[in-house]
Structure formats: structure tokens, C-alpha cells
Amino acid sequence: MNISVQDDSPQAAYQRASKNVDQVRQVLGANGLDTKVATVGFFSVPTDVRVEPKQRVIGYRVTTDVTLKLKDFSKIGPITQQLAEANVSETQTLNYALENMDEAKNRAVEDAYRRARNSAETVARASGRTLGDLSYASVDTFENPRIVMPRDGARHGCRRAQCGRSFPTEDFTPRP
């Protein structure tokens, strides 16, 4: 999800963003999850500038992205709904990936072989023949490409060492 808050001062925007992050913590806790299941990509404080008639700052926006890594799919619906109702994020995107892709592929191949063998045995029996050994097999897999959103906010964002603030995201797992 993407949390983005705009306000007249960087402190006010930061406080509102901190409140939204606290609400994320509350939703996770209410669903029996540790905040370590969430990762925070960056925390940036860019300014919004009006160019015409003369350049001036019109506001400050605090932005961060939060990623939840869940293994229990039954929690996805309630968490997504509760975060939407809390109105703490601009966007929520749901993606999933298998943790052990090779193991899943192997299981799929084994399952496909069993089904193909059962079908071949049925055809052989129906035609009064017996099924011999496997003489040829081909395994072809297709994986959807993973879309990675650029995190360009990190290059102009506020880092703990740069601004001296303590972030409201300390108990989340940092991204590498």
C-alpha cells in the first residue's frame, strides 16, 4: 500500500502519516499479526510547488510504501477491508507469489503425470491393450513476470541519519 499525506508544514504532514502508520499497526494487531510482517520501503518528504505566477511552496507531502508479507490467505480479505475503511492509504495492490517456486513446479509436474497416466490407462483398457513405459515427456512452465514498482522516493527522501527524526515505522521490517 502507499501512504501519502499532504499538509501545510512538514511536521503536520509527518504527524498525519505517523497516525496512518499507527492505524496499520492496529489493523495488523487486530488480526493477530506482528508488525514484522510489514516492510517499509522509504519515507520521503518532498514539497509541492506552485510555479505560476511565481514559484512558492504550497504544501509538504510525506510518502511511504508498506508491503505486507502474509502466509495465511484467510487474513487478506479482512486486512484489506479494514485498511480501506481506515482510509490510511492512497492505493492497495494485492499480489501473490509462491515462496518455493521449484517445489510447486515439481508437485505440478507429478500431478500432471498422474493425470496423464490415468487417462492413458483408461484409453489402453478401453482398447484392450496394456500401457507401457513412458517414452517421452516434455515439461513447459510459464511464469508471469513480476512487476516491481520503482522506489525513486528514496533518492530525495528523509533518512533517519539525515534528519535525526525517529520514524513511526521502527518496528516494521526494513527493506534491504
Side-chain angles (χ1 to χ4, degrees):
M1 75 191 73
N2 179 276
I3 296 174
S4 184
V5 177
Q6 183 173 336
D7 215 313
D8 294 335
S9 73
Q11 295 83 7
Y14 182 83
Q15 287 172 351
R16 285 184 47 215
S18 296
K19 182 180 173 185
N20 287 355
V21 170
D22 284 338
Q23 287 182 286
V24 170
R25 271 192 200 96
Q26 290 171 7
V27 168
L28 293 177
N31 286 279
L33 297 171
D34 184 355
T35 54
K36 297 288 184 201
V37 300
T39 57
V40 178
F42 61 89
F43 220 78
S44 67
V45 187
T47 57
D48 290 330
V49 178
R50 183 173 306 236
V51 177
E52 296 180 22
K54 70 176 197 173
Q55 188 171 354
R56 65 185 177 97
V57 174
I58 60 169
Y60 296 87
R61 179 177 298 275
V62 172
T63 305
T64 189
D65 68 329
V66 179
T67 301
L68 302 177
K69 185 176 181 181
L70 303 174
K71 292 183 180 186
D72 183 354
F73 279 14
S74 69
K75 295 188 182 280
I76 292 172
I79 289 172
T80 302
Q81 172 122 17
Q82 290 166 24
L83 289 172
E85 289 170 357
N87 199 26
V88 296
S89 64
E90 282 188 339
T91 59
Q92 288 187 33
T93 305
L94 179 63
N95 296 308
Y96 67 91
L98 295 174
E99 213 170 26
N100 189 337
M101 187 67 76
D102 289 336
E103 183 181 323
K105 286 179 186 177
N106 289 341
R107 279 202 218 143
V109 168
E110 288 171 358
D111 185 49
Y113 174 76
R114 272 191 298 278
R115 285 188 279 149
R117 177 108 185 151
N118 287 339
S119 294
E121 285 173 346
T122 301
V123 169
R125 249 190 333 271
S127 66
R129 298 180 179 243
T130 59
L131 192 60
D133 291 335
L134 177 66
S135 61
Y136 173 78
S138 174
V139 176
D140 187 19
T141 61
F142 173 76
E143 294 178 40
N144 288 325
R146 291 186 187 168
I147 299 171
V148 178
M149 300 301 290
R151 295 190 324 232
D152 64 342
R155 70 172 173 238
H156 63 271
C158 178
R159 300 259 187 223
R160 183 186 321 251
Q162 294 171 333
C163 65
R165 287 192 201 123
S166 70
F167 288 103
T169 57
E170 289 173 347
D171 56 347
F172 290 106
T173 302
R175 268 199 200 135

